[in-house]
Amino acid sequence: MTTVAELPAGFADKVLSAQSTFRSVMDAMARPGSIQRIASVAGTPDAMMRGTAAIALTLFDHDTPVWLDSWMSATADVARWLKFHTSAPIVADSSIAGFALVGDPVNLPPLDRFAFGSNEYPDRSTTLILQVESLTDGPVVELRGPGIDGAATLRASIEPQDLFERLAVNATLFPRGIDVVLVHDDAIVAIPRTTRLVRGG
């Protein structure tokens, strides 16, 4: 069993790194499809990429219910690290999660298992953090919508392969919906609910 003293560290400079990460996440949301680098984390549990850990350290707190997929919850390391560094409660019910950490996106549950928010409180939805194989090498996907001048092209190796078809539900749900952040190592790409996706460019 890992003791508190043995837990991987968080940010080397907590304030500056958190500010930098927050700007990267906001830039990613404002410019869907753009690859943003994220502040480095000194150490993370084996299941977590550095970008995922940095987002957690920046955005999670004791009021942020977090759901972990089977990859993230295979050992107690991720839950223990999150609890120690962020105080975020780990929940078994994905429908009440503010964030969902997904290390095995091939087995991503149906989106209706997560919170879509309400018309009055659309921000009370689940943001999916999906760890992917690559953000620069994969099938071409064309993105359109707010924050994109014409169209943006994303080449990413993403699972599940029907992720973009699933996210089409956002068009009918708006202002409710699911926001997605794709993570590979220390790089992120955001797909907010306002973004429309077309396979094949």
Side-chain angles (χ1 to χ4, degrees):
M1 180 175 176
T2 306
T3 66
V4 168
E6 295 170 331
L7 283 171
F11 288 133
D13 186 318
K14 187 173 183 179
V15 174
L16 289 179
S17 295
Q19 290 174 343
S20 174
T21 299
F22 185 78
R23 283 195 301 270
S24 293
V25 173
M26 291 301 100
D27 286 347
M29 284 291 183
R31 298 172 54 213
S34 67
I35 296 175
Q36 304 291 330
R37 293 288 169 183
I38 212 158
S40 183
V41 179
T44 67
D46 290 341
M48 295 179 76
M49 292 183 180
R50 290 186 294 168
T52 303
I55 290 171
L57 290 173
T58 302
L59 300 182
F60 296 6
D61 60 26
H62 65 279
D63 288 326
T64 312
V66 177
W67 179 83
L68 306 176
D69 77 343
S70 58
W71 175 275
M72 292 287 184
S73 58
T75 69
D77 291 351
V78 171
R80 190 180 296 117
W81 186 90
L82 288 170
K83 192 72 173 176
F84 176 73
H85 286 292
T86 73
S87 300
I90 307 302
V91 297
D93 182 357
S94 57
S95 71
I96 63 171
F99 288 87
L101 300 187
V102 181
D104 179 27
V106 172
N107 294 308
L108 178 71
L111 293 186
D112 62 8
R113 302 272 184 89
F114 301 101
F116 290 132
S118 66
N119 289 332
E120 295 79 14
Y121 300 102
D123 57 315
R124 294 180 182 175
S125 61
T126 306
T127 297
L128 302 184
I129 311 294
L130 268 59
Q131 296 187 164
V132 301
E133 291 184 10
S134 174
L135 292 174
T136 57
D137 183 24
V140 175
V141 179
E142 186 179 274
L143 289 71
R144 295 180 181 273
I148 301 172
D149 184 9
T153 299
L154 175 64
R155 285 182 172 272
S157 181
I158 301 170
E159 298 288 354
Q161 292 186 356
D162 66 345
L163 175 64
F164 304 112
E165 285 82 359
R166 295 194 200 186
L167 289 174
V169 71
N170 280 335
T172 59
L173 288 172
F174 191 80
R176 300 185 302 141
I178 295 287
D179 299 318
V180 177
V181 179
L182 307 175
V183 178
H184 177 73
D185 193 22
D186 65 347
I188 65 170
V189 168
I191 306 174
R193 68 192 68 182
T194 53
T195 301
R196 302 296 167 249
L197 308 112
V198 181
R199 275 204 178 277

